[in-house]
């Protein structure tokens, strides 16, 4: 048995895989303390896990991020990305550092597993005073932003025949670092205030290289290849879609019998405030096609502002471990969890998303031929319909997805992370 601190940002998409990991490790006999925002206390304690809340700037409510008046003035891109980094990832560092030090002072014989953007262990890793955990494992569920001569965050840069691919990638990565200079400057200020002795490397590499180990919840064949990646980086597969033992199938469930294609559409949980972005265009665009559309809303069904077409079925929640095996196509705004789970189930993906990690997931889907990138967060019904018809007829696309599915299945992700933590 090991004593493990599992720390995550109080952002639903960042916390969910860490909580799942914490439950799994506790089931293997380890003593777990969850560290995150105070509103998630019940999620941890109901799972029988010890809980320590962060305080101050680290204890924010992610449901309010999209309503921030200052953020609403920004367009997706560099300005918004720098704003998010400064407010959601950099500002919490002093309070995260403080709670981690308090826990290690109480018992220094503890390991730390954090999501990669929980940076409370970064100060001591860069020489600030204080205790360090026995081992720090960063887990990332989002695409890797680790710079490389082989790729950028969004894939290898297109070059003319005979062009220098590595030079083009280096230049693009340097441009990305320059673009993120405002966040880098703020991060440097915060780290210097905590008396670090080492400089943070060009943005954002140290979030992956400063931990003792980085476990990326992805697989080769989805992530871009990096021949120069550090030995501390491991691609460990994905955590399985959570089951819901108490869930009861709706009355129409028997209709998903394979007699015609099933198209699943969702905007996930955090980004489902405006269903007119993707769910409603999908319902409208596919209304006349010989398919069954299943819309998993992640919220109340009366949030739809349009009538439900005859070929569509709508639910507030359907567990993906039950739904995806029945699906022929998955339409999403590009969250990492659902995108990976669909491909692991052998289902091609259509992605429509421009914020957070969504365009990076879309780039990987398109680059590897696993689906279609609509390159917008608000596609028209006609664009969704055209992409859906292409994907449903695309045997090459479907074959590539089915060949990648066993790569996911080959990983025992929980066991791999446990081994990387305790080795």
């Amino acid at each position: 048995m090991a004593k493990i601190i599992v720390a995550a940002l109080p952002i639903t998409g960042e916390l969910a895989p860490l909580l799942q990991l914490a439950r799994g490790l506790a089931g293997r006999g380890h003593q777990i303390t969850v560290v995150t925002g105070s509103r998630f206390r019940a999620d941890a304690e109901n799972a029988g896990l010890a809980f320590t809340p962060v305080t101050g700037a680290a204890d924010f409510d992610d449901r309010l991020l999209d309503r921030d008046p200052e953020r609403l003035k920004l367009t997706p891109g560099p300005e918004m990305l720098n704003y998010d980094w400064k407010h959601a990832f950099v500002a919490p560092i002093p309070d995260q550092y403080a709670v981690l030090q308090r826990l290690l002072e109480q018992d220094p014989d503890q390991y730390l597993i954090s999501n990669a953007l929980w940076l409370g262990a970064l100060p001591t890793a860069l020489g600030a005073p204080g205790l360090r955990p026995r081992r720090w494992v960063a887990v990332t569920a989002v695409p890797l932003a680790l710079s490389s001569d082989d790729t950028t965050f969004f894939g290898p840069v297109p070059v003319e025949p005979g062009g220098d691919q590595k030079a083009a990638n280096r230049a693009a990565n340097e441009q990305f670092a320059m673009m993120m200079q405002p966040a880098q400057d703020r991060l440097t200020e915060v780290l210097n205030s905590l008396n670090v002795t080492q400089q943070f490397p060009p943005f954002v590499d140290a979030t992956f290289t400063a931990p003792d180990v980085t476990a990326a919840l992805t697989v080769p064949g989805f992530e871009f290849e990096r021949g120069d990646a550090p030995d501390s980086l491991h691609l460990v597969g994905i955590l399985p879609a959570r089951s819901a033992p108490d869930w009861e199938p709706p009355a129409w469930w028997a209709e998903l019998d394979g007699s015609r294609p099933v198209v699943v559409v969702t905007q996930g949980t955090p980004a489902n405030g405006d269903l007119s972005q993707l769910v409603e265009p999908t319902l409208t665009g596919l209304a006349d096609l010989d398919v069954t559309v299943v819309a998993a809303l992640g919220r109340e069904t009366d949030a739809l502002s349009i009538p439900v077409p005859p070929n569509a079925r709508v639910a507030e929640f359907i567990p993906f471990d039950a739904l995806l095996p029945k699906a022929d196509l998955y339409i999403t705004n590009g969250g990492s969890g659902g995108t990976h789970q669909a491909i692991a189930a052998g289902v091609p993906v259509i992605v429509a998303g421009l914020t957070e990690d969504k365009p990076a997931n879309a780039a990987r889907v398109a680059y590897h031929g696993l689906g279609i990138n609509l390159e917008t967060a608000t596609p028209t019904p006609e664009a969704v319909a055209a992409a859906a018809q292409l994907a449903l007829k695309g045997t090459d696309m479907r074959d590539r997805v089915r060949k990648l599915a066993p790569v996911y299945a080959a990983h025992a992700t929980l066991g791999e992370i446990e081994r990387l933590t305790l080795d």
Side-chain angles (χ1 to χ4, degrees):
M1 184 189 76
K3 290 171 282 189
I4 304 173
I5 298 167
V6 176
L9 291 164
I11 297 175
T12 303
E14 297 286 341
L15 176 61
L18 271 293
L19 273 179
Q20 186 177 352
L21 182 60
R23 287 189 292 265
L25 291 170
R28 294 185 174 214
H30 301 294
Q31 182 179 321
I32 306 297
T33 300
V34 173
V35 175
T36 190
S38 56
R39 80 180 184 92
F40 293 102
R41 176 185 291 274
D43 296 79
E45 293 183 344
N46 289 344
L49 305 171
F51 178 79
T52 297
V54 289
T55 58
D59 191 18
F60 59 88
D61 189 335
D62 68 316
R63 296 169 297 183
L64 304 179
L65 294 178
D66 287 338
R67 306 176 205 168
D68 182 340
E70 290 186 53
R71 189 177 187 272
L72 288 172
K73 299 175 185 176
L74 307 175
T75 55
E79 276 192 322
M80 183 177 287
L81 193 55
N82 275 285
Y83 185 89
D84 288 346
W85 259 93
K86 288 191 283 188
H87 290 79
F89 308 140
V90 176
I93 291 175
D95 293 299
Q96 294 169 346
Y97 168 69
V99 72
L100 179 60
Q101 288 303 303
R102 188 168 70 250
L103 288 171
L104 292 175
E105 287 166 3
Q106 294 169 3
D107 184 352
D109 186 29
Q110 298 189 81
Y111 299 85
L112 171 66
I113 299 176
S114 72
N115 67 304
L117 296 178
W118 193 93
L119 302 177
L122 186 58
T124 50
L126 296 179
L131 297 170
R132 299 182 65 172
R134 292 191 62 177
R135 193 170 181 83
W136 174 22
V137 177
V139 176
T140 178
V142 299
L144 291 170
L146 182 64
S147 60
S148 167
D149 283 356
D150 295 326
T151 189
T152 73
F153 187 35
F154 296 103
V157 176
V159 295
E160 296 292 334
D164 191 332
Q165 180 70 72
K166 291 184 182 296
N169 291 333
R170 280 195 297 270
N173 285 322
E174 290 168 3
Q175 185 178 12
F176 177 76
M178 290 176 60
M179 180 188 79
M180 296 302 299
Q181 194 63 47
Q184 173 102 37
D185 291 343
R186 180 58 187 146
L187 178 59
T188 299
E189 291 175 9
V190 170
L191 291 172
N192 286 340
S193 74
L194 298 171
N195 301 310
V196 300
T197 60
Q198 302 171 39
Q199 187 176 5
F200 188 89
F203 205 80
V204 297
D205 287 0
T207 57
F208 304 105
T209 60
D212 299 305
V213 173
T214 295
L217 297 176
T218 186
V219 296
F222 183 86
E223 186 51 67
F224 299 123
E225 292 187 12
R226 290 173 173 80
D228 50 3
D231 292 340
S232 59
L233 175 65
H234 300 263
L235 309 190
V236 297
I238 63 171
L239 295 167
R242 285 197 63 199
S243 60
D246 297 332
W247 176 77
E248 295 186 4
W252 46 262
W253 191 249
E255 298 174 18
L256 310 183
D257 57 3
S259 58
R260 64 179 183 173
V262 174
V263 179
V264 174
V265 61
T266 181
Q267 291 181 208
T269 303
N272 60 10
D274 181 6
L275 296 176
S276 70
Q277 292 181 337
L278 181 58
V279 170
E280 292 179 0
T282 298
L283 294 175
T284 300
L286 274 57
D288 295 328
L289 300 185
D290 186 24
V291 299
T292 299
V293 181
V294 178
L297 303 184
R299 58 176 300 183
E300 63 280 2
T301 57
D302 60 9
L304 285 171
S305 64
I306 63 170
V308 177
N311 71 335
R313 302 294 179 263
V314 176
E316 181 174 338
F317 168 75
I318 306 175
F320 272 12
D321 66 332
L323 179 58
L324 288 175
K326 295 181 176 292
D328 297 277
L329 180 63
Y330 179 68
I331 300 178
T332 172
N333 55 359
S336 290
T339 300
H340 278 296
Q341 288 166 11
I343 296 170
V347 182
V349 179
I350 293 175
V351 185
L354 291 179
T355 58
E356 295 91 26
D357 61 320
K358 297 176 179 66
N361 284 317
R364 285 154 176 78
V365 165
Y367 180 83
H368 293 296
L370 305 171
I372 296 171
N373 178 8
L374 293 180
E375 300 183 356
T376 178
T378 54
T380 64
E382 293 76 16
V384 177
Q389 289 173 298
L390 181 62
L392 289 170
K393 294 176 182 176
T395 55
D396 290 345
M397 183 186 303
R398 190 161 54 249
D399 288 345
R400 283 190 289 269
V401 172
R402 288 176 178 171
K403 287 179 181 178
L404 188 55
V407 179
Y408 285 93
H411 286 276
T413 302
L414 177 61
E416 291 183 36
I417 295 175
E418 179 186 37
R419 177 184 56 78
L420 291 170
T421 303
L422 303 181
D423 273 0

